[in-house]
């Protein structure tokens, strides 16, 4: 009898502790879960179990997170992953769980395995998990931005595999969901199709630029105070895509891509020119303009130098270089339609400092 009384008292204390903790933690939880309509994000198979947890859903997530983190510290990545997946079923609007799981698959588990095929399998699993997080949380700029970073950073190790994969079926719905959250005038172009049937041929940097652009549009539409680097990542990713073309010997194609990046930099500059506010806003504006001037100026000079190597004659090369250096980008693009431009050129004495 005494043991039963102790059990009952213990359960009562646990319930009381949960109720007491729920009030001060409620506001903190709300800041972590942007959309509180949890049940709308559940699939039919997840609904019943989550509903039964009721008010203990938060406590269950906390306990599962502790177990998952301990398993990760011990190197038990598969156990950790299973526990994190359980949290995502209980709290599908919890942004951090989706970014953490996708990162864990692509980076931690992908690092542990030896062969390249298995590393790519885990990279792809991480991307798919991140996509599910985006679809469950269509208003989350954070989860969308993490997906862009996955392609930009980790995807750099799998260039050829990414180019050979059809991405439109997986990523198209993500961009479509973002556009549903945007006013019609602010919607971003749908996910592009590459040379193949459904998105093959798109490189990791090009894909990241598409998703970063969507993240910027979503943040603007929802009034999210977005990190300033996100806006700059769009032209930087496009430039990196041009670098890949240049390094593969497709120099004329690289020129076109770099001019696209330069045009994107002008949109970034227009944003900073429109920034007004307090001293903090002015500091962010000054930092952003400094970054713009360094990166955009370097890209203009690089574009002009390569054009001189590809032009039909020195005079045409100088005209193109002047147009680029003076930011007459549409005029420069028109010059590329003239006959005689080389598709590629020997590097000769040129040393590409940003060659990857």
């Amino acid at each position: 009898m005494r043991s039963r009384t102790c059990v009952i008292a213990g359960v009562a204390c646990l319930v009381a502790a949960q109720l007491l903790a729920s009030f001060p933690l409620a506001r903190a939880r709300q800041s972590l879960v942007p959309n509180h309509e949890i049940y709308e994000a559940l699939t039919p198979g997840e609904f019943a179990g989550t509903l039964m947890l009721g008010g203990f859903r938060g406590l269950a997530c906390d306990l599962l997170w502790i177990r998952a983190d301990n398993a990760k510290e011990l190197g038990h990545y598969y156990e950790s992953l299973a526990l994190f997946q359980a949290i995502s079923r209980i709290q599908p609007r919890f942004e951090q769980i989706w970014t953490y799981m996708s990162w864990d698959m692509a980076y931690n588990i992908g690092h542990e395995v030896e062969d390249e095929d298995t590393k790519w399998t885990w990279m792809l699993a991480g991307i798919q998990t991140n996509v599910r997080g985006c679809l469950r949380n269509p208003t989350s700029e954070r989860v969308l931005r993490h997906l862009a970073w996955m392609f930009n950073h980790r995807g750099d190790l799998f260039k050829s595999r990414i180019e050979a994969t059809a991405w439109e079926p997986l990523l198209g719905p993500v961009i479509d969901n973002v556009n549903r959250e945007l006013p019609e005038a602010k919607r971003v172009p749908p996910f592009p199709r590459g040379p193949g049937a459904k998105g093959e041929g798109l490189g990791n940097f090009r894909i990241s630029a598409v998703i970063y652009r969507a993240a910027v549009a979503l943040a603007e539409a929802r009034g999210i105070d977005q990190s300033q680097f996100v806006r700059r990542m769009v032209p930087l990713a496009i430039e990196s895509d041009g670098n890949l073309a240049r390094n593969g010997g497709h120099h004329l194609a690289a020129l076109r891509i770099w001019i696209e990046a330069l045009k994107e930099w002008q949109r970034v500059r227009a944003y900073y020119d429109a920034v007004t506010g307090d001293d903090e806003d002015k500091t962010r504006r000054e930092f952003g303009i400094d970054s713009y001037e360094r990166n955009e100026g370097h890209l203009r000079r690089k574009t002009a130098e390569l054009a001189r190597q590809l032009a039909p004659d020195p005079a045409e090369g100088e005209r193109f270089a002047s147009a680029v250096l003076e930011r007459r980008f549409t005029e420069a693009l028109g010059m590329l339609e003239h006959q005689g431009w080389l598709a590629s050129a020997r590097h000769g004495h040129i040393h590409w400092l940003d060659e990857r």
Side-chain angles (χ1 to χ4, degrees), residues 43-219:
T43 64
E46 298 166 345
F47 186 85
T50 302
L51 184 64
M52 289 177 64
L53 284 172
F56 289 94
R57 190 172 57 244
L59 179 61
C61 287
D62 292 340
L63 295 175
L64 287 170
W65 190 286
I66 292 171
R67 284 192 58 191
D69 198 52
N70 287 339
K72 176 179 171 295
E73 291 297 322
L74 295 172
H76 302 161
Y77 294 113
Y78 295 93
E79 178 186 354
S80 171
L81 181 59
L83 293 166
F84 283 125
Q85 287 174 336
I87 298 173
S88 73
R89 295 187 181 96
I90 299 171
Q91 285 278 31
R93 300 294 197 195
F94 187 25
E95 294 176 323
Q96 286 89 332
I97 197 63
W98 296 105
T99 58
Y100 193 93
M101 279 198 302
S102 58
W103 174 79
D104 207 29
M105 292 177 184
Y107 285 82
N108 286 336
I109 301 178
H111 177 73
E112 289 297 308
V113 297
E114 296 294 333
D115 64 287
E116 291 301 314
D117 287 341
T118 309
K119 287 181 182 292
W120 167 244
T121 298
W122 281 108
M123 172 66 184
L124 188 57
I127 291 173
Q128 291 168 337
T129 297
N130 208 142
V131 166
R132 286 201 301 275
C134 290
L135 297 177
R136 295 291 187 93
N137 300 273
T139 62
S140 173
E141 180 270 346
R142 174 177 181 160
V143 181
L144 187 64
R145 169 166 38 95
H146 189 269
L147 179 61
W149 174 247
M150 290 273 286
F151 277 100
N152 191 285
H153 185 254
R154 188 65 172 176
D156 204 28
L157 300 178
F158 304 99
K159 293 186 182 72
S160 60
R161 291 180 183 265
I162 287 176
E163 290 177 359
T165 300
W167 293 107
E168 195 273 338
L170 180 66
L171 300 178
V174 175
I175 303 301
D176 292 342
N177 270 8
V178 171
N179 279 330
R180 292 189 187 98
E181 302 295 327
L182 305 178
E184 187 172 355
K186 298 290 186 179
R187 288 174 183 169
V188 298
F191 190 85
R193 295 176 180 268
K198 291 187 176 180
E200 301 96 322
L202 296 174
N204 62 297
F205 294 119
R206 174 62 63 173
I207 294 172
S208 73
V210 171
I211 303 173
Y212 273 126
R213 184 179 283 116
V216 170
L218 182 62

